[in-house]
Amino acid sequence: MTTSERKREDAEIRKDFPLLSPKTAYLDNSATTQKPRQVLEAVSHYYESENANPLRGLYQLSLKATDSYEQAREAVRAFIHAKSTEEIIFTRNATESLNLVGYSWTADNLKPEDEILITILEHHSNMLPWQQAAKRTGATLKYLECDKTGNITEEDFRRAITPKTKLVCMTHVSNVIGRTNDLKTFARIAHEYGAVFVADGAQSVPHMPVDVQDLDVDFLAFSGHKMLSPMGIGVLYGKKEILDAMQPFLYGGEMIEYVTREGATYAELPHKFEAGTVNAGGAVGLHAAIQYINSIGFDKIQEREDHLTAYAMEKIKEIPEVHILGSDDPKEHHGILTFTVDGVHPHDIAAMMDEDHVDVRAGHHCAQPLLKFLGTMSTARASFSFYNTEEEADRLVDSMKTLRKRMGY
Amino acid sequence: MHNTFYSEILTEHNLHPTHKHELPDANYELEGVNPSCGDDIILKLRVDDGVVKDGAFVGDGCAISQASADMMLDLVIGRPIEEAKRLSEIFLRMIKGKITEEEKEELEEAGALEDISHMPARVKCAVLGWHTMDEIFEDPDKAKKG
Ligand SMILES: Cc1ncc(COP(=O)(O)O)c(C=O)c1O
């Protein structure tokens, strides 16, 4: 693709994002993405013309709200290739999705002699729920370590899993190193051992086609806000037979069939896990985001993100004081460049980059055990979305080059 | 070139701190941690007859936390505890954006951190040393060495 073709494509895409401007290079897309106009308009449209409490009213408006909400569920189902909409539960975010499994599945399925296997790569959201479940049930939590580039091999996994392993929880793409785990292989091995496999898709679902039936994971959690949707809407995919056997997570309205003074019978899937008034506006936004992503296509999304990653990494290689965590291969980063600058604290990096209107994240990225394992406390992270440009990558690199000098070296 | 908060005063205190070293004859010492940045310092004071005779810190953290602790020690070494507490109170108020010009003068170089009041994410870095010192004065038994 020529530079002018690329520039035309940049402009074509960026015109859809009201918040993006030439002034600021927004490079914190792993934390949350900006929202295209199409999503914002869909949410407005819902509240302007379809809003009522879904699943409750018998009048036209409530039926319309229910329809929109359930159409969003179907869009999510198709997007991740689930068998049925009963397997799609709306939550607030990936964290809530993982906690749902962390409470409801573990309650009846873990015993003191059992083991939970997770990896050192996990975000705190895919770590703390299992630490807590281990405390409650007496099961043992075990950590599978990666190599310094973030890689976990099939041999590593086979060495760590045991006949006592009942649950394996693993991120699809690391939010620090950007590397993909081969979930299909790991889920197959977990199933050989009779373990249930939970995948954290927070950093993969926005960037690549994910097919839950092909991967054959038992659960998949992700957040809408990292894939162009409003905040406050997330998804838990779970296999129907497993969800059916689980106890509810939250109790209240909407998740029951029949209530007496003594107890209740619970609603069918997926409503059994959606207690209380749902975030219909958020679901409508997620539906529009999925349509938007499909209209651009993952081929183009991946081409653009890989191109920017490679483009930036090539230039960063020339700056001796800057070090990128993880693999040297841009394809193993999925737009995520976590870095350190010799002698400059990451919070100072982010603050100086802010002065240059380059937005990057600094800190432990909710993965303190991983950073400790890699021998650092804190890092800075730039993360690209398909709507970023070469010019923004240049601004990142230009700013990087000035940091040491500005700190008085 | 850059419209920067990272002034020469700040970077100088960060790169070449006067008071970042051990202090073998310290009689008080306390660790201060700012979990959001991972700043972690140990403040050491030598206090005799109610006067801060000497002070130092060790540890790591961002430039703001390190420079601020160094500026603080510049200011309080040689002063009575009551004076140090009063200056700390002024500093913490400055970070909330509520001091007079005269008060700012009193803070000497630490006045250079005034703009932190517009950087809420960095407030904890700037006050780390000061809070740790206040804590030593409030509960000396906890920080007493030996
Ligand atoms: C890998 C990973 N898992 C889980 C989460 C949690 O997402 P949320 O905060 O939307 O629940 C994140 C977000 O930072 C993430 O990067």
Side-chain angles (χ1 to χ4, degrees):
Chain A
M1 198 180 242
T2 68
T3 306
S4 65
E5 277 168 352
R6 228 174 244 296
K7 285 216 153 101
R8 211 170 316 128
E9 191 175 274
D10 291 346
E12 190 69 21
I13 290 171
R14 288 172 73 88
K15 75 170 180 0
D16 290 336
F17 290 81
L19 189 140
L20 297 178
S21 82
K23 181 168 173 242
T24 302
Y26 180 78
L27 300 178
D28 194 16
N29 294 289
S30 300
T32 198
T33 60
Q34 300 306 340
K35 323 303 176 195
R37 193 170 28 79
Q38 290 85 338
V39 167
L40 302 173
E41 282 169 4
V43 176
S44 288
H45 175 78
Y46 171 80
Y47 282 113
E48 283 170 13
S49 59
E50 295 179 344
N51 179 55
N53 203 319
L55 312 159
R56 291 191 186 177
L58 295 176
Y59 46 91
Q60 285 304 313
L61 199 58
S62 176
L63 296 178
K64 230 173 170 177
T66 308
D67 267 356
S68 296
Y69 184 63
E70 293 303 329
Q71 280 165 16
R73 198 188 308 277
E74 165 55 24
V76 172
R77 184 209 63 74
F79 190 60
I80 61 170
H81 306 276
K83 265 194 206 133
S84 95
T85 50
E86 293 173 283
E87 301 182 313
I88 305 298
I89 296 157
F90 283 122
T91 62
R92 281 189 305 140
N93 47 39
T95 303
E96 185 176 305
S97 300
L98 292 163
N99 273 277
L100 193 162
V101 183
Y103 278 97
S104 299
W105 185 85
T106 64
D108 297 324
N109 290 290
L110 286 184
K111 290 187 261 342
E113 59 274 22
D114 296 338
E115 292 174 359
I116 308 170
L117 181 62
I118 71 172
T119 83
I120 193 74
L121 288 163
E122 302 314 314
H123 187 281
H124 295 162
S125 292
N126 197 26
M127 181 175 285
L128 271 55
W130 316 119
Q131 288 180 353
Q132 291 303 316
K135 281 200 186 125
R136 280 194 307 272
T137 61
T140 305
L141 180 64
K142 292 174 91 181
Y143 287 85
L144 172 55
E145 292 180 352
C146 55
D147 70 13
K148 293 287 170 192
T149 69
N151 194 29
I152 295 174
T153 65
E154 185 176 338
E155 291 71 51
D156 297 335
F157 189 74
R158 283 197 182 274
R159 262 195 304 274
I161 194 164
T162 79
K164 291 182 183 170
T165 308
K166 289 287 169 339
L167 180 64
V168 177
C169 309
M170 194 185 285
T171 192
H172 199 183
V173 170
S174 155
N175 67 310
V176 176
I177 293 183
R179 190 140 192 160
T180 310
N181 285 318
D182 179 5
L183 294 191
K184 187 171 177 172
T185 300
F186 297 145
R188 178 170 47 73
I189 299 169
H191 291 152
E192 284 170 18
Y193 283 81
V196 160
F197 196 97
V198 179
D200 176 353
Q203 297 295 349
S204 62
V205 175
H207 301 283
M208 60 181 72
V210 171
D211 179 331
V212 289
Q213 292 189 68
D214 177 53
L215 295 175
D216 198 26
V217 295
D218 299 302
F219 292 101
L220 174 79
F222 59 99
S223 292
H225 71 92
K226 291 181 197 286
M227 49 179 286
L228 316 181
S229 306
M231 293 186 179
I233 187 78
V235 173
L236 175 67
Y237 158 81
K239 281 186 186 157
K240 179 174 181 327
E241 57 279 17
I242 300 179
L243 289 173
D244 263 335
M246 277 159 62
Q247 48 177 270
F249 174 41
L250 300 172
Y251 293 81
E254 228 65 86
M255 49 79 69
I256 41 86
E257 285 297 349
Y258 192 69
V259 182
T260 64
R261 287 188 185 220
E262 288 74 35
T265 51
Y266 303 118
E268 294 291 311
L269 289 175
H271 304 288
K272 172 175 148 189
F273 290 105
E274 294 181 355
T277 298
V278 297
N279 182 1
V284 166
L286 179 57
H287 187 175
I290 288 172
Q291 288 174 332
Y292 187 87
I293 289 170
N294 287 338
S295 75
I296 304 253
F298 273 123
D299 284 346
K300 186 176 285 185
I301 287 174
Q302 284 184 305
E303 190 278 329
R304 289 181 59 90
E305 291 175 354
D306 286 349
H307 170 75
L308 279 177
T309 313
Y311 178 86
M313 280 177 82
E314 193 57 35
K315 298 195 168 189
I316 293 169
K317 258 203 304 220
E318 309 296 319
I319 318 174
E321 67 267 26
V322 178
H323 312 283
I324 293 175
L325 264 64
S327 172
D328 292 333
D329 179 358
K331 285 230 177 300
E332 296 289 355
H333 280 270
H334 299 93
I336 295 174
L337 296 179
T338 295
F339 62 96
T340 57
V341 180
D342 291 337
V344 186
H345 190 280
H347 279 79
D348 299 318
I349 297 174
M352 285 187 279
M353 287 196 162
D354 178 46
E355 293 175 346
D356 299 343
H357 305 289
V358 176
D359 294 350
V360 300
R361 175 90 185 265
H364 48 61
H365 318 298
C366 298
Q368 289 186 24
L370 174 62
L371 290 190
K372 192 155 181 216
F373 174 72
L374 295 171
T376 168
M377 276 302 289
S378 160
T379 57
R381 179 183 73 190
S383 49
F384 295 111
S385 169
F386 63 92
Y387 51 62
N388 289 122
T389 64
E390 283 183 6
E391 194 258 332
E392 290 176 311
D394 285 337
R395 288 175 59 186
L396 171 75
V397 172
D398 289 346
S399 182
M400 273 177 178
K401 287 181 184 158
T402 67
L403 298 175
R404 267 178 72 84
K405 180 141 177 288
R406 285 154 78 180
M407 285 306 287
Y409 286 102
Chain B
M1 169 180 76
H2 299 276
N3 175 18
T4 184
F5 169 78
Y6 288 82
S7 62
E8 213 174 312
I9 298 181
L10 192 151
T11 58
E12 193 53 30
H13 275 280
N14 176 47
L15 285 191
H16 309 291
T18 317
H19 305 289
K20 189 165 179 175
H21 52 73
E22 293 295 336
L23 192 65
D25 66 348
N27 48 5
Y28 294 95
E29 83 175 38
L30 191 66
E31 183 174 18
V33 180
N34 165 19
S36 76
C37 270
D39 305 326
D40 187 346
I41 63 165
I42 298 173
L43 181 66
K44 299 161 183 259
L45 297 179
R46 173 81 209 183
V47 182
D48 293 312
D49 307 325
V51 175
V52 181
K53 283 278 159 53
D54 203 356
F57 72 103
V58 294
D60 357 74
C62 67
I64 296 178
S65 69
Q66 305 297 295
S68 184
D70 200 51
M71 291 168 176
M72 176 187 83
L73 287 166
D74 264 355
L75 192 65
V76 302
I77 290 171
R79 301 210 197 220
I81 289 177
E82 289 313 313
E83 263 299 283
K85 277 179 157 164
R86 194 179 64 81
L87 290 166
S88 178
E89 188 275 326
I90 296 177
F91 183 85
L92 297 179
R93 233 173 342 101
M94 175 180 82
I95 298 299
K96 292 185 191 135
K98 292 186 200 136
I99 56 163
T100 64
E101 265 314 301
E102 294 81 62
E103 286 177 320
K104 190 177 154 191
E105 299 267 296
E106 282 202 76
L107 294 179
E108 299 176 9
E109 287 190 331
L113 296 177
E114 188 178 17
D115 285 345
I116 292 275
S117 59
H118 309 300
M119 302 165 72
R122 307 308 296 283
V123 164
K124 285 206 178 97
C125 319
V127 302
L128 181 63
W130 304 77
H131 263 314
T132 310
M133 179 176 76
D134 286 345
E135 244 182 275
I136 293 179
F137 296 148
E138 267 160 39
D139 191 358
D141 288 344
K142 185 172 74 180
K144 196 149 191 120
K145 260 184 76 181

